[in-house]
Amino acid sequence: MQTWSGQDPSGISAGTRKLLTRMLIIFSLAGLVIGFAVGGLTGIHPAPTQTAKNITKTVISTRAPATATVPPTAIADNVPLDLPDVTKYTISEVNNGTTNYTFSAQPVYKNSRKPVSATDITCRLWLTQSLDQTNSAMKANNYALLRNVGNLTQSFPQEVGSSLAYVTPSTQVQFCSANGPTTWTYTLANSVQPGSYYLYVLVDWKGIHFNWSARQIQVIA
């Protein structure tokens, strides 16, 4: 039978083992307490925030580039007119009220006689028997009749009234064509007695510049 001597086989007494065990437990607990204390003091630091950086943006302008303004030319602001160029008419016409006749005239610049393409020139066509009296009437009072464009729709002195019946779209007073000669289509009324007459065409730019031409025709029955 074995006897228990009270001593650990490793050579350390039971009392000593108990003491060592207690010391280890104490040191372990002390370590835990120190760890918690340090953690409490230091805390959990949040991740550093990113400092906003100044960002330079390149702005692309969508504004249309400025274009140079072209000053209006003298021609656009001033249209001095020469005698209109009559390009088509019939010398001998029948007063039957059914035969169509065509009269065409082209406004031209004074002196150069180049065709005018302005859109604000008024044209007028009419019939008269007196060349001299008609010219005198238009020159009277410093061309007062022609200086007011509103007068162009009224009957002119020495005009043979209701003599020309205009075929649509022609009208006695109309804007001159901006592209080529201005044309009238008309018939000669039965009331026009046979004889010698003059077809007058007037071009008038805003009552500032104006001129006219006349062509002699023979009216036959």
Side-chain angles (χ1 to χ4, degrees):
M1 176 181 292
Q2 291 182 343
T3 60
W4 181 256
S5 60
Q7 186 175 2
D8 188 86
S10 61
I12 301 175
S13 66
T16 301
R17 286 181 64 87
K18 290 181 181 181
L19 178 60
L20 290 175
T21 301
R22 289 176 181 175
M23 290 179 65
L24 288 174
I25 293 172
I26 291 172
F27 281 125
S28 297
L29 291 174
L32 290 175
V33 171
I34 292 173
F36 283 121
V38 172
L41 290 175
T42 58
I44 300 174
H45 297 285
T49 57
Q50 183 177 2
T51 303
K53 295 182 180 179
N54 294 329
I55 301 174
T56 303
K57 295 183 178 180
T58 302
V59 179
I60 301 176
S61 176
T62 57
R63 185 177 179 180
T67 57
T69 301
V70 180
T73 63
I75 291 178
D77 292 337
N78 191 39
V79 185
L81 296 168
D82 210 331
L83 303 177
D85 184 13
V86 177
T87 59
K88 185 176 182 179
Y89 76 103
T90 304
I91 296 176
S92 181
E93 300 183 2
V94 180
N95 61 350
N96 58 11
T98 57
T99 303
N100 287 350
Y101 297 101
T102 300
F103 187 98
S104 299
Q106 171 67 58
V108 294
Y109 287 110
K110 194 170 183 64
N111 300 324
S112 71
R113 298 200 57 80
K114 291 182 178 180
V116 177
S117 60
T119 58
D120 50 0
I121 300 176
T122 304
C123 286
R124 189 185 200 276
L125 181 69
W126 73 102
L127 188 71
T128 182
Q129 277 190 297
S130 175
L131 190 66
D132 293 336
Q133 291 181 21
T134 300
N135 288 339
S136 296
M138 290 194 291
K139 294 177 182 178
N141 300 318
N142 193 25
Y143 302 93
L145 179 64
L146 308 182
R147 291 189 181 279
N148 183 351
V149 179
N151 292 334
L152 304 187
T153 58
Q154 303 175 8
S155 179
F156 274 18
Q158 309 303 319
E159 179 178 351
V160 180
S162 303
S163 56
L164 306 179
Y166 296 93
V167 178
T168 306
S170 300
T171 56
Q172 181 178 38
V173 180
Q174 60 189 31
F175 282 115
C176 300
S177 173
N179 300 298
T182 301
T183 298
W184 290 264
T185 302
Y186 63 90
T187 62
L188 202 60
N190 294 329
S191 59
V192 180
Q193 298 300 311
S196 180
Y197 292 84
Y198 296 91
L199 279 170
Y200 264 79
V201 58
L202 169 73
V203 290
D204 190 316
W205 183 72
K206 300 181 179 181
I208 300 173
H209 297 296
F210 34 77
N211 225 316
W212 63 87
S213 293
R215 291 295 183 271
Q216 188 176 22
I217 65 169
Q218 294 295 321
V219 175
I220 58 178

